């Protein structure tokens, strides 16, 4: 006959298996098996049924850009073009733009570095898309000067700030306001009166690169703000920061000159 110790051990083993069987049926012990789960056992939860889980569609909508601010005003350095640069509004406005971005420079240095083309060479007039046309430092008939457009201006700015220079000429005014809303003032070309230039003030110029339409009522400023009715800007001909103009007229004049715009990002 088996000893009492063996009988006792056998009884303990039987009791152990009985306990495990009961626990397995009640789900208190995990049954190890196939890791694949039946989707019917674990249905996907509808996020709208759980107030603690945010709807992913709502998350996407919250990150969609909903346009620039209704009103935005920035502060930027103001620099006068006179008396040194009677024809240097574009370079002076560029100086304000670069100074706002932290570049240590001045209008006379930039005027010297700006690419220039003759006012007239034979039968061809100078092209402001190629460089400053004529004399930037004088304002008389014997030393005529005209203007320079966004291309050479952006090229000069890139010598200081490289790919931070954002020439988005040809874009809509909404893009200008987006830049300002992001904290970036914008160099632009508009008219000297900040309203549309009449057709009678425009003329055709025959340049070596082809005919272009120009007016001497051109002007450049640094746009620093806007609201529903006004545009705010630093005018290099003014003696103070924060000039303003009627918004619709300013934008229409800006569009006459091809929506020229440069910012620093």
């Amino acid at each position: 006959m088996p000893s009492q110790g063996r009988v006792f051990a056998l009884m303990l083993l039987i009791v152990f298996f009985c306990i495990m069987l009961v626990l397995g049926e009640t789900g208190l012990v995990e049954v190890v098996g196939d890791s694949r789960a039946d989707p019917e056992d674990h249905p996907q939860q509808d996020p709208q049924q759980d107030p603690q889980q945010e709807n992913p569609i709502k998350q996407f909508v919250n990150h969609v850009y909903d346009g620039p601010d209704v009103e935005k005003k920035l502060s930027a350095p103001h620099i006068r073009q006179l008396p040194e640069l009677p024809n240097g509004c574009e370079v002076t406005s560029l100086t304000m733009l670069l100074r706002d971005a932290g570049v240590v420079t001045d209008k006379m240095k930039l005027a010297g570095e700006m690419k220039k083309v003759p006012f007239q060479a034979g039968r061809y007039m100078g092209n402001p898309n190629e460089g400053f046309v004529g004399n930037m430092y004088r304002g008389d008939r014997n030393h005529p000067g005209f203007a320079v457009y966004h291309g050479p201006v952006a090229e000069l700015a890139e010598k200081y700030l490289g790919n931070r220079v954002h020439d988005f000429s040809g874009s809509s005014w909404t893009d200008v306001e987006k830049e300002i809303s992001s904290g970036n003032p914008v160099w632009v070309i508009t008219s000297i009166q900040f309203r549309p230039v009449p057709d009678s003030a425009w003329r055709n110029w025959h340049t070596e690169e082809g005919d272009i339409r120009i007016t001497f009522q051109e002007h450049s400023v640094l746009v620093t703000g806007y609201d529903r009715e006004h545009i705010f800007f630093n005018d290099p001909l003014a003696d103070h920061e924060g000039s303003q103009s009627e918004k619709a007229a300013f934008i229409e004049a800006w569009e006459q000159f091809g929506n020229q715009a440069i910012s620093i990002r």
Side-chain angles (χ1 to χ4, degrees):
M1 292 182 63
S3 65
Q4 291 183 349
R6 290 184 177 181
V7 172
F8 182 74
L10 182 60
M11 292 178 64
L12 286 178
L13 185 61
I14 293 172
V15 171
F16 175 78
F17 278 109
C18 290
I19 293 174
M20 293 298 295
L21 181 61
V22 172
L23 292 177
E25 290 178 349
T26 59
L28 296 177
V29 174
E30 181 180 0
V31 178
V32 179
D34 194 340
S35 61
R36 292 173 296 180
D38 187 341
E40 295 297 329
D41 294 336
H42 303 283
Q44 293 184 350
Q45 188 176 26
D46 185 350
Q48 294 182 351
Q49 296 176 355
D50 184 0
Q52 301 300 321
Q53 182 174 351
E54 187 173 3
N55 191 329
I57 297 178
K58 182 179 179 182
Q59 288 180 326
F60 174 78
V61 171
N62 287 342
H63 287 83
V64 173
Y65 182 76
D66 58 357
D69 298 329
V70 174
E71 177 180 347
K72 186 75 172 183
K73 291 183 182 180
L74 305 174
S75 179
H78 177 264
I79 301 170
R80 281 178 52 81
Q81 69 183 81
L82 298 176
E84 297 88 354
L85 298 174
N87 295 324
C89 59
E90 302 92 354
V91 162
T92 306
S93 293
L94 173 62
T95 307
M96 291 188 269
L97 180 68
L98 293 179
R99 291 274 289 272
D100 181 75
V103 176
V104 179
T105 189
D106 60 70
K107 64 183 182 182
M108 301 307 292
K109 184 174 187 296
L110 293 179
E113 295 174 347
M114 176 62 68
K115 183 180 178 182
K116 301 175 183 67
V117 296
F119 188 85
Q120 184 173 4
R123 62 191 183 95
Y124 294 116
M125 305 302 294
N127 189 338
N129 292 298
E130 300 299 318
F132 185 87
V133 177
N135 194 310
M136 197 184 305
Y137 308 94
R138 302 285 292 272
D140 55 61
R141 292 179 178 272
N142 295 326
H143 305 88
F146 173 45
V148 59
Y149 287 169
H150 69 97
V153 172
E155 183 179 344
L156 178 54
E158 287 169 355
K159 292 182 179 179
Y160 289 88
L161 293 174
N163 58 12
R164 287 185 59 194
V165 178
H166 179 48
D167 183 355
F168 58 110
S169 299
S171 300
S172 69
W173 183 260
T174 299
D175 292 317
V176 174
E177 293 193 356
K178 286 180 180 179
E179 284 297 304
I180 296 170
S181 182
S182 298
N184 307 322
V186 180
W187 177 100
V188 302
I189 284 184
T190 182
S191 75
I192 191 69
Q193 299 293 336
F194 312 114
R195 60 175 179 261
V197 179
D199 288 341
S200 59
W202 292 86
R203 64 182 69 181
N204 290 323
W205 261 18
H206 184 59
T207 76
E208 193 169 359
E209 294 75 26
D211 289 351
I212 61 173
R213 192 166 177 256
I214 69 101
T215 176
F216 282 91
Q217 294 187 26
E218 178 266 4
H219 191 44
S220 176
V221 300
L222 185 70
V223 178
T224 58
Y226 60 88
D227 59 23
R228 293 186 184 276
E229 298 179 354
H230 304 93
I231 303 297
F232 304 98
F233 51 90
N234 284 0
D235 181 359
L237 286 176
D239 58 3
H240 58 83
E241 176 185 351
S243 300
Q244 71 178 51
S245 177
E246 194 273 322
K247 186 172 188 176
F250 186 100
I251 295 174
E252 188 174 348
W254 174 72
E255 290 173 341
Q256 284 184 310
F257 290 91
N259 303 28
Q260 299 186 55
I262 302 171
S263 67
I264 305 296
R265 290 180 164 179

